[in-house]
Amino acid sequence: DGGITQSPKYLFRKEGQNVTLSCEQNLNHDAMYWYRQDPGQGLRLIYYSQIVNDFQKGDIAEGYSVSREKKESFPLTVTSAQKNPTAFYLCASSPSGNNQPQHFGDGTRLSIL
Amino acid sequence: DAKTTQPPSMDCAEGRAANLPCNHSTISGNEYVYWYRQIHSQGPQYIIHGLKNNETNEMASLIITEDRKSSTLILPHATLRDTAVYYCIVRVYGSARQLTFGSGTQLTVLP
């Protein structure tokens, strides 16, 4: 079935460690997004990419990095510079073109040891 | 993107229609109305979207008022699995940027 796969579902990070969250889609979507969700709150955009080898910062990009080497993949690295990384991370994708809805993966929950 | 206002919570009896309201009084002519829902600890699920005409799909119906300042999402026969937080979002036509999720409406379907 077509969809968005995020892995792992749960991830633990030690202080000072970088971790990478995986996001893969087989929907042939051009655009991909990373959001962060904190308890009881809405989603905040970290990074987005509208095409391979190009990406843009969202509202809370500090302490995060991304790459878009393949259309299907948009990994997010949470660096040690992100001082409050504990959150639920959601990846989404959408086709290019006007008014296309975004489709989401099931998320990765990151916690600090 | 225009701001939306939704009630924080609603209950609905199983098998009955669930009508979820959303106010977006500052919506502009090129902004679409989108509805998503999120079941606890899962990613948001797209439900439906529209510009000014009423829309229907296999999941729900979307009723947009003539002045476009408000809309209602209708789940015609709510089931227990429809219990979720429902988000109403307005978004500029052609925008590839983020969806701005507010706090949504917690819908609880009661047996």
Side-chain angles (χ1 to χ4, degrees), chain B residues 5-10 19-23 35 86 103-107:
Chain B
T5 304
Q6 299 177 252
S9 64
M10 293 181 63
N19 297 289
L20 293 95
C22 179
N23 285 322
W35 282 84
Y86 286 77
S103 23
T105 296
Q106 170 66 59
L107 174 69

Side-chain angles (χ1 to χ4, degrees), chain A residues 33 35 37 59 98-99 102, chain B residues 34 36 38 49 96 98-99:
Chain A
Y33 311 79
Y35 293 87
Q37 187 175 35
D59 298 327
N98 299 323
N99 74 295
Q102 293 180 18
Chain B
Y34 291 78
Y36 284 77
Q38 188 174 23
H49 73 285
Q98 78 260 36
L99 300 172

Side-chain angles (χ1 to χ4, degrees), chain A residues 66-82:
Chain A
V66 293
S67 63
R68 187 87 187 277
E69 297 176 2
K70 298 187 300 182
K71 187 175 185 177
E72 305 79 24
S73 178
F74 192 40
L76 173 74
T77 297
V78 184
T79 75
S80 57
Q82 172 49 244

Side-chain angles (χ1 to χ4, degrees), chain B residues 35-100:
Chain B
W35 282 84
Y36 284 77
R37 70 181 182 185
Q38 188 174 23
I39 296 169
H40 184 62
S41 295
Q42 296 183 19
Q45 178 187 22
Y46 164 76
I47 301 173
I48 198 167
H49 73 285
L51 181 62
K52 54 183 178 181
N53 298 320
N54 297 339
E55 301 287 343
T56 296
N57 63 20
E58 66 278 4
M59 289 183 67
S61 295
L62 174 60
I63 309 298
I64 303 173
T65 57
E66 191 170 344
D67 63 6
R68 302 207 327 118
K69 293 183 184 298
S70 66
S71 60
T72 301
L73 178 75
I74 301 173
L75 307 178
H77 306 286
T79 70
L80 298 178
R81 289 185 295 180
D82 291 322
T83 292
V85 179
Y86 286 77
Y87 296 98
C88 166
I89 299 158
V90 292
R91 183 168 168 232
V92 174
Y93 179 79
S95 170
R97 289 215 55 189
Q98 78 260 36
L99 300 172
T100 301

